[in-house]
């Protein structure tokens, strides 16, 4: 593993209609495996002509926003524009956000939203796709990469597909979606195989998690305690709906999704980049250190960014450009795995760290949620 220097808390268009908003970008409603309508936008590569990759294909970056974000939010648009200098870009709004349907499960079924967006990126003709997630979206890209293995194997997946796509009730009624709450310290879902209904084109060729949590139910910071109130308390969900324009489901998680820290060991050999700021008000640096320590050291890099706060709202142009460049490089040479390199000399070193190893406390099963 390398440690490098570059590392918030509406009405839909008509179903099935593709909309061109300008001369290049395309909007389209997507359908997830569990039937939720997701708004998405495709923007072609805007950088210099490239002769590398497959027939000059620059690949695509799928951007997964944080909780309360949406594809038309300024911070998401800014990140998407920066990434188009390196690859084509697909942005979308998670369920319960923006003009997408459904209600947010705060990182659980959102994996299915991301899978639909990745499959759509490949449908535009791109052979390679990177996923870049911020905060809640960061936890989603990690779990998505562990679930959708593409050419590698289909043996490392959790029971989300059985519980989300195929789950029914003993009384014959269709099960309601699971929400974001659950018993603190509850066990993660047992691994299961991806069913034949899962889209084989929905896997990622590179993964970037920015400001992502390592574990669920974390309440160690004031912003995370406020977030828990916003998703767990009835009044908080009203505030989320009308104040933050985010519709949160009232049901508990059932089963509790695989925590991000348990997902990252299943991602290799797909290249993984973990980006975090030392001024993150939601998740302290033990979260990225735990993720990096759990990941395959041959396929993971960690960037701890001095002065960086949280997610897409705090990411400056230089950081977005570095992330886009990192993703584009992996998309142009997807077979060049695992990748190695020396530690970035400008990066801060955590106490007791050595190149190739990210120390930190072991994940605490009694804390966490995504922000």
């Amino acid at each position: 593993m390398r440690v490098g220097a570059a590392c918030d808390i509406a009405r839909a268009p008509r179903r099935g209609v593709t909309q061109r908003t300008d001369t290049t970008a395309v909007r389209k409603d997507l359908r997830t495996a569990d039937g939720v309508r997701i708004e998405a936008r495709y923007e072609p590569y805007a950088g210099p002509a490239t002769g590398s990759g497959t027939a000059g294909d620059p690949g695509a970056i799928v951007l997964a926003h944080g909780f309360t974000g949406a594809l038309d939010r300024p911070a998401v648009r800014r990140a998407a524009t920066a990434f188009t200098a390196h690859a084509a870009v697909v942005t979308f709004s998670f369920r319960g956000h923006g003009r997408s349907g459904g209600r947010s499960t705060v990182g659980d079924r959102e994996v299915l939203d991301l899978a639909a967006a990745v499959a759509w990126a490949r449908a535009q003709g791109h052979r390679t796709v990177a996923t870049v997630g911020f905060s809640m979206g960061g936890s989603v890209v990690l779990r998505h990469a562990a679930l959708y293995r593409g050419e590698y194997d289909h043996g490392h997946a959790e029971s989300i597909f059985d519980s989300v796509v195929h789950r029914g009730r003993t009384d014959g009624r269709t099960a309601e979606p699971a929400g974001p709450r659950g018993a603190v310290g509850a066990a993660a879902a047992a691994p299961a195989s991806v069913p034949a209904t899962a889209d084989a084109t929905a896997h990622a060729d590179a993964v970037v998690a920015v400001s992502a949590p390592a574990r669920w139910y974390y309440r160690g910071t004031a912003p995370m305690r406020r977030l828990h109130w916003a998703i767990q308390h009835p009044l908080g969900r009203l505030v989320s709906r009308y104040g933050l324009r985010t519709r949160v489901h009232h049901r508990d998680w059932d089963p509790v999704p695989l925590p991000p820290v348990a997902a990252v060991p299943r991602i290799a050999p797909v290249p993984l980049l973990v980006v975090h700021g030392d001024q993150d008000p939601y998740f302290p640096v033990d979260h990225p250190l735990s993720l990096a320590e759990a990941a395959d050291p041959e396929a993971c890099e960690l960037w701890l960014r001095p002065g960086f706060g949280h997610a897409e709202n705090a990411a400056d142009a230089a950081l977005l450009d570095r992330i886009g460049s990192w993703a584009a490089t992996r998309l142009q040479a997807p077979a060049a795995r695992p990748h190695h390199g020396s530690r970035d000399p400008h990066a801060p070193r955590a106490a007791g760290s050595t190149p190739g190893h990210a120390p930190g406390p072991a994940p605490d099963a009694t804390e966490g949620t995504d922000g």
Side-chain angles (χ1 to χ4, degrees):
M1 179 199 72
R2 284 190 288 171
V3 181
C7 219
D8 256 357
I9 242 178
R11 186 172 60 193
R14 287 180 297 169
R15 177 176 176 181
V17 174
T18 297
Q19 299 179 323
R20 289 189 178 274
T21 56
D22 53 42
T23 58
T24 57
V26 176
R27 282 183 180 262
K28 183 178 176 63
D29 280 354
L30 310 177
R31 283 285 170 182
T32 67
D34 61 343
V36 177
R37 178 188 51 76
I38 300 298
E39 64 166 347
R41 172 182 168 123
Y42 172 81
E43 298 168 77
Y45 171 59
T50 175
S52 57
T54 303
D57 174 22
I61 294 173
V62 176
L63 193 164
H65 61 76
F67 184 67
T68 77
L71 71 80
D72 287 321
R73 295 291 176 90
V76 175
R77 296 264 40 88
R78 180 167 52 84
T81 300
F83 293 159
T84 58
H86 303 279
V89 175
V90 169
T91 49
F92 66 99
S93 297
F94 280 120
R95 63 187 63 202
H97 294 73
R99 294 182 176 90
S100 290
R103 287 173 288 180
S104 174
T105 63
V106 198
D108 182 9
R109 295 192 182 187
E110 282 75 8
V111 169
L112 303 176
D113 308 346
L114 178 59
V118 171
W120 188 48
R122 293 192 192 278
Q124 306 310 303
H126 300 291
R127 295 286 302 274
T128 54
V129 177
T131 55
V132 179
F134 295 87
S135 191
M136 180 188 78
S139 71
V140 174
V141 300
L142 295 174
R143 292 179 51 244
H144 169 269
L147 285 164
Y148 291 82
R149 299 284 297 170
E151 63 189 85
Y152 305 109
D153 67 74
H154 290 281
H156 296 301
E158 55 179 304
S159 62
I160 184 175
F161 294 98
D162 291 329
S163 63
V164 169
V165 182
H166 305 295
R167 184 172 59 196
R169 298 170 58 105
T170 56
D171 59 10
R173 291 180 291 159
T174 302
E176 289 292 326
R181 295 180 294 154
V184 174
S193 296
V194 176
T197 54
D199 195 328
T201 67
H203 66 280
D205 298 288
V207 181
V208 183
V210 185
S211 305
R215 54 199 185 270
W216 308 136
Y217 310 118
Y218 177 73
R219 292 177 173 84
T221 59
M224 285 307 298
R225 289 190 289 272
R226 290 194 295 268
L227 176 61
H228 276 82
W229 177 81
I231 64 179
Q232 294 181 357
H233 194 280
L235 179 58
R237 290 192 293 273
L238 283 175
V239 171
S240 295
R241 184 181 186 97
Y242 297 106
L244 303 176
R245 292 179 289 173
T246 301
R247 305 176 304 280
V248 180
H249 206 284
H250 67 281
R251 290 250 177 152
D252 292 354
W253 276 339
D254 181 21
V256 176
L258 191 72
V261 74
V264 290
R266 306 179 182 190
I267 295 176
V270 173
L272 169 63
L273 173 62
V274 177
V275 183
H276 213 89
D278 65 357
Q279 299 300 309
D280 192 309
Y282 287 83
F283 305 112
V285 295
D286 64 297
H287 283 260
L289 293 175
S290 295
L291 291 172
E293 187 173 31
D296 184 335
E298 300 298 320
C300 177
E301 296 182 44
L302 170 63
W303 295 355
L304 289 176
R305 177 82 172 183
F308 176 42
H310 185 71
E312 62 265 41
N313 288 334
D316 59 22
L319 177 57
L320 293 172
D321 184 69
R322 284 198 67 181
I323 292 172
S325 178
W326 184 95
T329 300
R330 274 72 192 172
L331 293 180
Q332 292 302 304
R337 312 183 187 107
H339 54 282
H340 303 273
S342 58
R343 180 181 179 274
D344 190 313
H346 301 292
R349 179 176 296 181
S353 67
T354 58
H357 177 69
D364 183 349
T366 67
E367 295 183 309
T369 197
D370 354 0

